[in-house]
Amino acid sequence: MPTVRDLQVRKGQVLVMAGTSKGVFLFAAGPKRDRWQRGGPHFAGSPAYALAHDESRGHRLFAGVENPFYGTTIRWSDDLGRTWSDETSSTLKFPEDTGVSLKRIWQIVPAANGSNGTIYAGVEPSALFVSRDRGATWELVRGLFDHPHREKWTPGNGGQCLHTVLPHPANASQIMVAMSTGGVYRSEDGGRTWRPRNAGVRVDFMPDKYPEFGQCVHKVVRHPSRPETLFMQNHGGLYRSDDNGDTWQDIAKGVPSDFGFCMAIHPHDPDVVYIVPLESGLFRAVPEGKMRVYRTRNGGKSWEALSKGLPQQDANEVVLRDALCVDQLDPAGVYFGTRSGKVYASADGGASWSLVADGLPPVLCVRAAVIGDPAKIRVPHARGARAKAAPAKKAAAPRRTKATSKAGTKHKPARKSGRGR
Amino acid sequence: MPIRVRLPAILRDLPGARATVELAGPFASVSDALDALWLEVPTVRDRVLTETGDVREHVQLFVGYESIRFTGGLATAVPENTEITIVPAVSGG
């Protein structure tokens, strides 16, 4: 077994976690995010498709770990990755009466801030679990598991996976999930009942191109300041919804391919979204051998390529659905990992990139966490970042919905920032 | 009554293959219809079925809008004047 390199992560630093096919690697850097120290691999030899950071009661890291012999478990660390809970503490498993067994944990998501330790896990075979005690015990969300559509959700090459969980930031009763295949489903009663929300999302691989469900959605994101607006990277197609998923509109204009897996939204601007287009068909790599992240700054009206610092020749790279993420600093950090074992970081919202690590096992997911209050961490001026910054843009005020009005919850507006978009 | 079989783009470059193949029916099952398809376009057979005669894992067959995975597999009945669609199943990441 490889030597596990210890990494001490300090307050004020950014922690980047890379789940790979052979364990979890950790990287830490100061707010300038230019010099990275490495830790790990933790769970060496075991794939980790899902990672998360929860700070509802101090920092807790989560990892979905697949031991090839002894099965899939959820593990956590309360010391920023230096030590982890053992297999025996994992209680995330299907009840016996379901007749299915846990294959993979695809997504771990803390509920919105102030949720008092509620964590969701999306798994394979497609199902949603919830923990009310910060991961100690888990309960299968029966309303979704028993959905009559379930028998017609079919696995893709990645498996029959529930890979996206979007708890509503202001309404704890409302949860959205996405799966491949199956599409988007939304519950408005805390998970008891679910309805498909795929109107307008095309399915190229079925005779009926616009079915009620069965879409192969790859990732959906939303910004907490504007929760009714959603962006989707579909298996062929980029979409936006302004009615919480009730209807979707195609926004794939100006991208070299509308196929891809990953998607991330800017932490402070609900109109800024990042994707990594891939060639569709069998090749599944970045078009033209150019490693480019694409960004919209206007909610999908147009897209621009971000390539400074990224290889632009013979880069047959693939970025998987959870291998792109952002941090909460300003300017925002953007991170992605590739199947060729590289992790890249941008400390200026994607304007320029640098290599954090190379030679890792294939990267399956990447997550970033700011240790400390991001608003109180001073980011040293990045050369050129201000000069190239977009003009400050005020985020639109969140629309009041029936659900949020009932909850009586106020949204926290997006931070105003002109840097590093 | 004839039925139509729609082939996916990825198979249309095979010798003799085309987007739509019309077959004279009737056929009792998808299996019977495919046997007729192999006579018309023999190159497609091994791309759709395995050596043991099973539909390949990442290939889907639809009768109308219904996947045969949920209607009886290759034994699924084929109504007259219907369409069988062969599609590569999705593969995610």
Side-chain angles (χ1 to χ4, degrees):
Chain A
M1 294 293 278
T3 302
V4 179
R5 202 181 302 178
D6 190 36
L7 178 69
Q8 291 197 30
V9 186
R10 299 187 304 276
K11 192 173 179 182
Q13 286 192 311
V14 175
L15 170 66
V16 172
M17 304 178 278
T20 77
S21 64
K22 293 179 184 292
V24 174
F25 293 80
L26 304 176
F27 304 92
K32 202 171 176 182
R33 294 157 287 179
D34 56 347
R35 292 181 183 177
W36 295 89
Q37 294 177 301
R38 180 192 292 203
H42 300 279
F43 321 109
S46 295
Y49 276 78
L51 294 165
H53 168 243
D54 175 50
E55 53 184 343
S56 57
R57 288 178 237 155
H59 296 283
R60 174 169 282 190
L61 309 182
F62 288 96
V65 179
E66 292 175 45
N67 186 294
F69 304 104
Y70 307 121
T72 296
T73 53
I74 192 162
R75 317 285 278 275
W76 61 83
S77 170
D78 289 334
D79 54 11
L80 296 173
R82 299 186 73 185
T83 61
W84 294 81
S85 61
D86 63 27
E87 294 98 330
T88 59
S89 59
S90 178
T91 62
L92 202 168
K93 57 183 75 173
F94 280 95
E96 280 187 24
D97 68 284
T98 60
V100 299
S101 57
L102 179 65
K103 182 175 181 188
R104 176 168 294 164
I105 300 170
W106 280 87
Q107 183 94 146
I108 306 168
V109 175
N113 290 340
S115 61
N116 203 25
T118 297
I119 312 287
Y120 291 99
V123 307
E124 176 184 347
S126 279
L128 179 67
F129 284 81
V130 61
S131 170
R132 308 286 182 196
D133 52 13
R134 227 184 172 201
T137 59
W138 293 86
E139 178 186 353
L140 175 66
V141 176
R142 292 275 184 173
L144 186 63
F145 188 81
D146 294 334
H147 199 286
H149 291 174
R150 181 172 174 271
E151 64 175 21
K152 291 197 172 182
W153 300 335
T154 56
N157 197 37
Q160 176 54 59
C161 54
L162 194 156
H163 52 68
T164 297
V165 184
L166 294 171
H168 194 282
N171 180 354
S173 296
Q174 198 176 106
I175 314 159
M176 181 171 282
V177 299
M179 61 188 100
S180 175
T181 69
V184 170
Y185 284 72
R186 190 178 75 207
S187 172
E188 298 185 4
D189 54 12
R192 280 190 291 277
T193 61
W194 296 80
R195 294 174 67 187
R197 284 289 175 266
N198 303 292
V201 180
R202 184 176 167 85
V203 185
D204 286 326
F205 51 86
M206 286 170 67
D208 181 1
K209 302 304 179 194
Y210 292 95
E212 181 187 20
F213 65 95
Q215 281 80 355
C216 185
V217 176
H218 284 178
K219 187 50 66 178
V220 182
V221 297
R222 69 157 36 122
H223 196 280
S225 74
R226 200 191 290 167
E228 309 306 309
T229 297
L230 300 155
F231 296 92
M232 173 197 291
Q233 173 67 71
N234 191 44
H235 180 110
L238 285 164
Y239 294 92
R240 171 182 173 136
S241 172
D242 289 302
D243 51 16
N244 202 16
D246 288 349
T247 59
W248 297 86
Q249 291 78 42
D250 190 345
I251 56 168
K253 296 186 183 73
V255 289
S257 168
D258 65 1
F259 183 91
F261 290 116
C262 58
M263 182 176 251
I265 196 161
H266 193 282
H268 313 305
D269 189 332
D271 283 325
V272 177
V273 176
Y274 301 90
I275 57 171
V276 180
L278 303 178
E279 286 191 20
S280 59
L282 294 176
F283 190 56
R284 302 274 172 89
V286 293
E288 303 169 56
K290 297 178 178 179
M291 183 65 248
R292 293 170 293 190
V293 175
Y294 275 74
R295 173 178 64 183
T296 178
R297 295 196 283 188
N298 50 25
K301 292 188 180 74
S302 63
W303 297 85
E304 59 184 332
L306 306 172
S307 61
K308 187 179 178 184
L310 299 175
Q312 296 302 295
Q313 188 175 341
D314 299 330
N316 297 309
E317 300 284 12
V318 181
V319 181
L320 296 180
R321 70 176 86 244
D322 276 305
L324 172 71
C325 70
V326 298
D327 69 25
Q328 298 293 317
L329 291 181
D330 186 10
V334 190
Y335 308 88
F336 70 88
T338 71
R339 290 200 76 161
S340 68
K342 301 180 184 71
V343 174
Y344 286 94
S346 169
D348 51 16
S352 63
W353 300 84
S354 60
L355 195 62
V356 173
D358 195 357
L360 299 178
V363 177
L364 307 173
C365 65
V366 178
R367 287 291 179 270
V370 176
I371 309 307
D373 183 350
K376 293 179 180 173
I377 295 174
R378 193 181 73 82
V379 179
H381 174 54
R383 192 169 62 182
R386 284 177 191 274
K388 293 178 180 175
K393 191 190 313 181
K394 188 176 181 180
R399 287 158 47 184
R400 286 181 71 84
T401 64
K402 196 174 177 183
T404 52
S405 299
K406 270 184 183 173
T409 310
K410 289 180 182 175
H411 297 293
K412 185 180 177 183
R415 282 166 60 183
K416 205 167 159 183
S417 170
R419 288 182 289 162
R421 297 284 160 72
Chain B
M1 294 291 285
I3 67 158
R4 291 168 305 284
V5 181
R6 293 184 64 82
L7 301 182
I10 199 168
L11 295 183
R12 291 176 199 165
D13 290 339
L14 295 172
R18 49 201 180 271
T20 306
V21 179
E22 195 162 289
L23 302 172
F27 300 106
S29 66
V30 172
S31 183
D32 288 350
L34 291 180
D35 285 342
L37 178 66
W38 311 145
L39 292 174
E40 187 80 15
V41 196
T43 53
V44 171
R45 194 265 179 204
D46 286 353
R47 305 283 72 78
V48 176
L49 302 182
T50 65
E51 299 92 319
T52 57
D54 298 317
V55 179
R56 290 190 180 277
E57 182 183 0
H58 293 294
V59 172
Q60 280 229 68
L61 294 169
F62 291 83
V63 175
Y65 284 175
E66 286 294 320
S67 169
I68 67 168
R69 288 181 181 179
F70 312 115
T71 55
L74 292 172
T76 298
V78 179
E80 289 185 353
N81 204 24
T82 193
E83 191 165 89
I84 296 176
T85 307
I86 302 173
V87 293
V90 294
S91 50

